[in-house]
Short mmCIF file of all heavy atoms in Angstrom, two decimals:
data_model
loop_
_atom_site.label_atom_id
_atom_site.label_comp_id
_atom_site.label_asym_id
_atom_site.label_seq_id
_atom_site.Cartn_x
_atom_site.Cartn_y
_atom_site.Cartn_z
N LEU A 10 -0.03 8.20 -4.50
CA LEU A 10 -0.97 8.84 -3.58
C LEU A 10 -0.73 8.38 -2.14
O LEU A 10 -0.83 9.17 -1.21
CB LEU A 10 -2.41 8.53 -3.99
CG LEU A 10 -2.88 9.15 -5.31
CD1 LEU A 10 -4.32 8.76 -5.60
CD2 LEU A 10 -2.74 10.67 -5.27
N VAL A 11 -0.41 7.09 -1.96
CA VAL A 11 -0.13 6.58 -0.62
C VAL A 11 1.08 7.29 -0.02
O VAL A 11 1.05 7.76 1.13
CB VAL A 11 0.10 5.05 -0.65
CG1 VAL A 11 0.61 4.55 0.70
CG2 VAL A 11 -1.18 4.32 -1.03
N GLU A 12 2.15 7.37 -0.81
CA GLU A 12 3.38 8.00 -0.31
C GLU A 12 3.17 9.47 0.02
O GLU A 12 3.79 10.00 0.96
CB GLU A 12 4.49 7.83 -1.35
CG GLU A 12 4.99 6.39 -1.43
CD GLU A 12 5.82 6.09 -2.66
OE1 GLU A 12 5.85 6.94 -3.59
OE2 GLU A 12 6.44 5.02 -2.72
N GLU A 13 2.30 10.14 -0.72
CA GLU A 13 1.99 11.53 -0.43
C GLU A 13 1.11 11.63 0.82
O GLU A 13 1.34 12.49 1.69
CB GLU A 13 1.26 12.17 -1.62
CG GLU A 13 0.97 13.66 -1.47
CD GLU A 13 2.22 14.51 -1.33
OE1 GLU A 13 3.29 14.14 -1.88
OE2 GLU A 13 2.15 15.57 -0.65
N ALA A 14 0.13 10.74 0.92
CA ALA A 14 -0.82 10.81 2.04
C ALA A 14 -0.16 10.59 3.39
O ALA A 14 -0.53 11.21 4.39
CB ALA A 14 -1.94 9.79 1.84
N VAL A 15 0.84 9.68 3.46
CA VAL A 15 1.45 9.35 4.76
C VAL A 15 2.35 10.46 5.28
O VAL A 15 2.85 10.36 6.41
CB VAL A 15 2.23 8.01 4.70
CG1 VAL A 15 1.31 6.87 4.29
CG2 VAL A 15 3.44 8.09 3.77
N LYS A 16 2.52 11.54 4.53
CA LYS A 16 3.24 12.71 5.04
C LYS A 16 2.42 13.44 6.10
O LYS A 16 2.95 14.24 6.86
CB LYS A 16 3.59 13.65 3.89
CG LYS A 16 4.57 13.08 2.88
CD LYS A 16 4.80 14.05 1.72
CE LYS A 16 5.75 13.45 0.68
NZ LYS A 16 5.94 14.37 -0.48
N ASP A 17 1.12 13.14 6.14
CA ASP A 17 0.22 13.73 7.13
C ASP A 17 0.27 12.88 8.39
O ASP A 17 -0.08 11.69 8.37
CB ASP A 17 -1.20 13.76 6.56
CG ASP A 17 -2.23 14.36 7.51
OD1 ASP A 17 -1.88 14.64 8.68
OD2 ASP A 17 -3.39 14.52 7.09
N PRO A 18 0.70 13.42 9.54
CA PRO A 18 0.81 12.60 10.76
C PRO A 18 -0.53 12.08 11.28
O PRO A 18 -0.56 11.18 12.12
CB PRO A 18 1.45 13.56 11.77
CG PRO A 18 1.20 14.93 11.23
CD PRO A 18 1.16 14.80 9.74
N ALA A 19 -1.64 12.64 10.79
CA ALA A 19 -2.96 12.13 11.20
C ALA A 19 -3.32 10.83 10.49
O ALA A 19 -4.24 10.13 10.92
CB ALA A 19 -4.03 13.19 10.92
N VAL A 20 -2.60 10.52 9.41
CA VAL A 20 -2.85 9.27 8.68
C VAL A 20 -2.16 8.14 9.45
O VAL A 20 -0.94 8.06 9.52
CB VAL A 20 -2.33 9.34 7.23
CG1 VAL A 20 -2.44 7.99 6.55
CG2 VAL A 20 -3.11 10.39 6.44
N LYS A 21 -2.98 7.25 10.01
CA LYS A 21 -2.46 6.23 10.92
C LYS A 21 -2.32 4.85 10.28
O LYS A 21 -1.71 3.95 10.90
CB LYS A 21 -3.37 6.10 12.14
CG LYS A 21 -3.38 7.33 13.04
CD LYS A 21 -2.04 7.49 13.77
CE LYS A 21 -2.16 8.55 14.86
NZ LYS A 21 -0.90 8.66 15.64
N GLY A 22 -2.88 4.64 9.10
CA GLY A 22 -2.75 3.30 8.53
C GLY A 22 -3.47 3.12 7.22
O GLY A 22 -4.07 4.06 6.66
N ILE A 23 -3.41 1.89 6.74
CA ILE A 23 -4.01 1.54 5.45
C ILE A 23 -4.46 0.08 5.48
O ILE A 23 -3.82 -0.77 6.10
CB ILE A 23 -3.01 1.77 4.29
CG1 ILE A 23 -3.67 1.51 2.93
CG2 ILE A 23 -1.75 0.91 4.44
CD1 ILE A 23 -2.80 1.96 1.74
N TRP A 24 -5.59 -0.19 4.83
CA TRP A 24 -6.05 -1.56 4.62
C TRP A 24 -5.43 -2.13 3.35
O TRP A 24 -5.35 -1.42 2.35
CB TRP A 24 -7.58 -1.61 4.47
CG TRP A 24 -8.36 -1.31 5.71
CD1 TRP A 24 -9.18 -0.23 5.92
CD2 TRP A 24 -8.42 -2.11 6.89
NE1 TRP A 24 -9.74 -0.31 7.19
CE2 TRP A 24 -9.29 -1.45 7.80
CE3 TRP A 24 -7.82 -3.31 7.29
CZ2 TRP A 24 -9.57 -1.97 9.06
CZ3 TRP A 24 -8.11 -3.82 8.54
CH2 TRP A 24 -8.98 -3.15 9.42
N CYS A 25 -5.02 -3.38 3.38
CA CYS A 25 -4.46 -4.02 2.20
C CYS A 25 -4.93 -5.47 2.11
O CYS A 25 -4.93 -6.19 3.12
CB CYS A 25 -2.93 -4.02 2.24
SG CYS A 25 -2.17 -2.40 2.06
N VAL A 26 -5.35 -5.90 0.93
CA VAL A 26 -5.55 -7.31 0.61
C VAL A 26 -4.59 -7.59 -0.54
O VAL A 26 -4.92 -7.40 -1.71
CB VAL A 26 -7.00 -7.64 0.22
CG1 VAL A 26 -7.17 -9.13 -0.05
CG2 VAL A 26 -7.96 -7.19 1.32
N PRO A 27 -3.35 -8.02 -0.24
CA PRO A 27 -2.27 -7.95 -1.21
C PRO A 27 -2.27 -9.02 -2.30
O PRO A 27 -1.61 -8.85 -3.32
CB PRO A 27 -1.02 -8.08 -0.34
CG PRO A 27 -1.48 -8.90 0.83
CD PRO A 27 -2.89 -8.45 1.09
N LYS A 28 -2.98 -10.12 -2.08
CA LYS A 28 -3.00 -11.19 -3.08
C LYS A 28 -4.45 -11.53 -3.40
O LYS A 28 -5.22 -11.87 -2.50
CB LYS A 28 -2.25 -12.42 -2.58
CG LYS A 28 -2.10 -13.52 -3.64
CD LYS A 28 -1.27 -14.69 -3.13
CE LYS A 28 -1.19 -15.80 -4.20
NZ LYS A 28 -0.48 -16.99 -3.70
N TYR A 29 -4.81 -11.42 -4.68
CA TYR A 29 -6.19 -11.61 -5.12
C TYR A 29 -7.11 -10.68 -4.32
O TYR A 29 -8.03 -11.10 -3.63
CB TYR A 29 -6.63 -13.07 -5.00
CG TYR A 29 -5.73 -14.01 -5.76
CD1 TYR A 29 -5.17 -15.13 -5.14
CD2 TYR A 29 -5.41 -13.78 -7.10
CE1 TYR A 29 -4.33 -15.99 -5.84
CE2 TYR A 29 -4.57 -14.64 -7.80
CZ TYR A 29 -4.04 -15.74 -7.17
OH TYR A 29 -3.20 -16.58 -7.86
N SER A 30 -6.84 -9.40 -4.46
CA SER A 30 -7.54 -8.39 -3.66
C SER A 30 -9.05 -8.50 -3.82
O SER A 30 -9.56 -8.92 -4.86
CB SER A 30 -7.08 -6.98 -4.08
OG SER A 30 -7.50 -6.69 -5.41
N ASN A 31 -9.73 -8.12 -2.76
CA ASN A 31 -11.19 -8.10 -2.73
C ASN A 31 -11.64 -6.70 -3.09
O ASN A 31 -11.33 -5.74 -2.36
CB ASN A 31 -11.63 -8.47 -1.31
CG ASN A 31 -13.12 -8.45 -1.10
OD1 ASN A 31 -13.88 -8.05 -1.96
ND2 ASN A 31 -13.57 -8.89 0.07
N PRO A 32 -12.35 -6.50 -4.25
CA PRO A 32 -12.89 -7.53 -5.14
C PRO A 32 -12.14 -7.72 -6.45
O PRO A 32 -12.51 -8.59 -7.23
CB PRO A 32 -14.28 -6.95 -5.44
CG PRO A 32 -14.04 -5.47 -5.54
CD PRO A 32 -12.97 -5.17 -4.50
N ASP A 33 -11.12 -6.92 -6.74
CA ASP A 33 -10.55 -6.90 -8.09
C ASP A 33 -9.71 -8.13 -8.44
O ASP A 33 -9.44 -8.38 -9.61
CB ASP A 33 -9.68 -5.64 -8.28
CG ASP A 33 -10.50 -4.39 -8.53
OD1 ASP A 33 -11.72 -4.53 -8.79
OD2 ASP A 33 -9.94 -3.29 -8.48
N GLY A 34 -9.25 -8.87 -7.42
CA GLY A 34 -8.40 -10.02 -7.71
C GLY A 34 -6.99 -9.65 -8.13
O GLY A 34 -6.29 -10.43 -8.76
N VAL A 35 -6.53 -8.45 -7.76
CA VAL A 35 -5.20 -7.96 -8.11
C VAL A 35 -4.16 -8.57 -7.17
O VAL A 35 -4.37 -8.67 -5.97
CB VAL A 35 -5.15 -6.43 -8.02
CG1 VAL A 35 -3.71 -5.92 -8.12
CG2 VAL A 35 -6.01 -5.81 -9.10
N ILE A 36 -3.03 -8.98 -7.74
CA ILE A 36 -1.86 -9.36 -6.93
C ILE A 36 -0.92 -8.16 -6.91
O ILE A 36 -0.49 -7.68 -7.97
CB ILE A 36 -1.14 -10.58 -7.54
CG1 ILE A 36 -2.07 -11.80 -7.56
CG2 ILE A 36 0.13 -10.90 -6.75
CD1 ILE A 36 -1.44 -13.03 -8.19
N TYR A 37 -0.62 -7.65 -5.73
CA TYR A 37 0.28 -6.51 -5.64
C TYR A 37 1.62 -6.86 -6.30
O TYR A 37 2.17 -7.95 -6.07
CB TYR A 37 0.55 -6.13 -4.19
CG TYR A 37 -0.60 -5.49 -3.44
CD1 TYR A 37 -1.91 -5.50 -3.92
CD2 TYR A 37 -0.37 -4.88 -2.21
CE1 TYR A 37 -2.94 -4.92 -3.19
CE2 TYR A 37 -1.39 -4.30 -1.47
CZ TYR A 37 -2.68 -4.33 -1.97
OH TYR A 37 -3.69 -3.75 -1.25
N SER A 38 2.14 -5.95 -7.08
CA SER A 38 3.43 -6.17 -7.73
C SER A 38 4.57 -6.10 -6.73
O SER A 38 4.42 -5.55 -5.62
CB SER A 38 3.64 -5.12 -8.82
OG SER A 38 3.84 -3.84 -8.24
N GLU A 39 5.73 -6.64 -7.10
CA GLU A 39 6.90 -6.57 -6.22
C GLU A 39 7.28 -5.13 -5.92
O GLU A 39 7.68 -4.80 -4.80
CB GLU A 39 8.07 -7.33 -6.85
CG GLU A 39 7.88 -8.84 -6.86
CD GLU A 39 9.13 -9.58 -7.29
OE1 GLU A 39 10.22 -8.96 -7.28
OE2 GLU A 39 9.03 -10.78 -7.60
N ASP A 40 7.16 -4.27 -6.95
CA ASP A 40 7.48 -2.85 -6.74
C ASP A 40 6.54 -2.22 -5.72
O ASP A 40 6.97 -1.48 -4.83
CB ASP A 40 7.39 -2.09 -8.07
CG ASP A 40 7.66 -0.61 -7.90
OD1 ASP A 40 8.81 -0.24 -7.58
OD2 ASP A 40 6.72 0.20 -8.07
N THR A 41 5.25 -2.53 -5.83
CA THR A 41 4.28 -2.00 -4.87
C THR A 41 4.59 -2.46 -3.46
O THR A 41 4.58 -1.66 -2.51
CB THR A 41 2.85 -2.45 -5.26
OG1 THR A 41 2.49 -1.83 -6.50
CG2 THR A 41 1.83 -2.08 -4.20
N ILE A 42 4.91 -3.73 -3.30
CA ILE A 42 5.20 -4.28 -1.97
C ILE A 42 6.47 -3.65 -1.40
O ILE A 42 6.54 -3.32 -0.21
CB ILE A 42 5.32 -5.82 -2.04
CG1 ILE A 42 3.97 -6.42 -2.45
CG2 ILE A 42 5.75 -6.40 -0.70
CD1 ILE A 42 4.04 -7.88 -2.81
N GLN A 43 7.47 -3.47 -2.24
CA GLN A 43 8.70 -2.81 -1.77
C GLN A 43 8.42 -1.37 -1.35
O GLN A 43 8.96 -0.89 -0.35
CB GLN A 43 9.76 -2.84 -2.89
CG GLN A 43 10.42 -4.18 -3.10
CD GLN A 43 11.40 -4.53 -1.97
OE1 GLN A 43 11.69 -3.73 -1.09
NE2 GLN A 43 11.91 -5.76 -1.99
N ARG A 44 7.57 -0.69 -2.08
CA ARG A 44 7.24 0.69 -1.73
C ARG A 44 6.47 0.75 -0.40
O ARG A 44 6.66 1.68 0.39
CB ARG A 44 6.46 1.36 -2.86
CG ARG A 44 7.32 1.63 -4.08
CD ARG A 44 6.53 2.15 -5.26
NE ARG A 44 6.15 3.55 -5.12
CZ ARG A 44 5.53 4.26 -6.08
NH1 ARG A 44 5.24 3.67 -7.24
NH2 ARG A 44 5.19 5.52 -5.88
N PHE A 45 5.64 -0.25 -0.14
CA PHE A 45 4.99 -0.33 1.16
C PHE A 45 6.02 -0.49 2.26
O PHE A 45 5.97 0.19 3.30
CB PHE A 45 4.00 -1.49 1.20
CG PHE A 45 2.59 -1.10 0.84
CD1 PHE A 45 1.98 -1.60 -0.29
CD2 PHE A 45 1.88 -0.24 1.65
CE1 PHE A 45 0.68 -1.24 -0.61
CE2 PHE A 45 0.58 0.14 1.34
CZ PHE A 45 -0.02 -0.36 0.20
N ALA A 46 6.95 -1.41 2.07
CA ALA A 46 7.96 -1.68 3.09
C ALA A 46 8.83 -0.45 3.37
O ALA A 46 9.32 -0.27 4.48
CB ALA A 46 8.83 -2.86 2.68
N ASN A 47 8.99 0.39 2.36
CA ASN A 47 9.87 1.55 2.48
C ASN A 47 9.12 2.85 2.76
O ASN A 47 9.71 3.93 2.67
CB ASN A 47 10.70 1.71 1.20
CG ASN A 47 11.83 0.69 1.12
OD1 ASN A 47 12.88 0.87 1.71
ND2 ASN A 47 11.59 -0.40 0.39
N LEU A 48 7.83 2.75 3.10
CA LEU A 48 7.08 3.96 3.41
C LEU A 48 7.72 4.72 4.58
O LEU A 48 8.06 4.12 5.60
CB LEU A 48 5.64 3.62 3.78
CG LEU A 48 4.67 3.35 2.63
CD1 LEU A 48 3.30 2.94 3.20
CD2 LEU A 48 4.51 4.56 1.72
N ASN A 49 7.86 6.01 4.42
CA ASN A 49 8.35 6.87 5.50
C ASN A 49 7.19 7.73 5.98
O ASN A 49 6.97 8.84 5.49
CB ASN A 49 9.52 7.73 5.02
CG ASN A 49 10.77 6.90 4.79
OD1 ASN A 49 11.18 6.15 5.67
ND2 ASN A 49 11.35 7.01 3.60
N ALA A 50 6.41 7.18 6.89
CA ALA A 50 5.21 7.85 7.35
C ALA A 50 5.53 8.86 8.44
O ALA A 50 6.41 8.64 9.28
CB ALA A 50 4.21 6.83 7.87
#
């Protein structure tokens, strides 16, 4: 959904809590982090 959403030029950013996310306590996976780094917005 993120990769699809950033195709819209009006989408300017995203909030992230990548380690022990608030509130779920999720640690972003390596694949997720790589996909963030490779976003083509």
Side-chain angles (χ1 to χ4, degrees):
L10 292 180
V11 171
E12 288 165 349
E13 184 62 30
V15 301
K16 295 176 182 178
D17 180 353
V20 173
K21 293 291 191 176
I23 185 170
W24 291 114
C25 291
V26 182
K28 186 176 177 184
Y29 304 128
S30 67
N31 178 353
D33 282 348
V35 169
I36 298 178
Y37 289 14
S38 69
E39 289 189 15
D40 177 68
T41 293
I42 296 169
Q43 285 287 353
R44 290 174 75 175
F45 266 115
N47 285 278
L48 280 177
N49 289 308

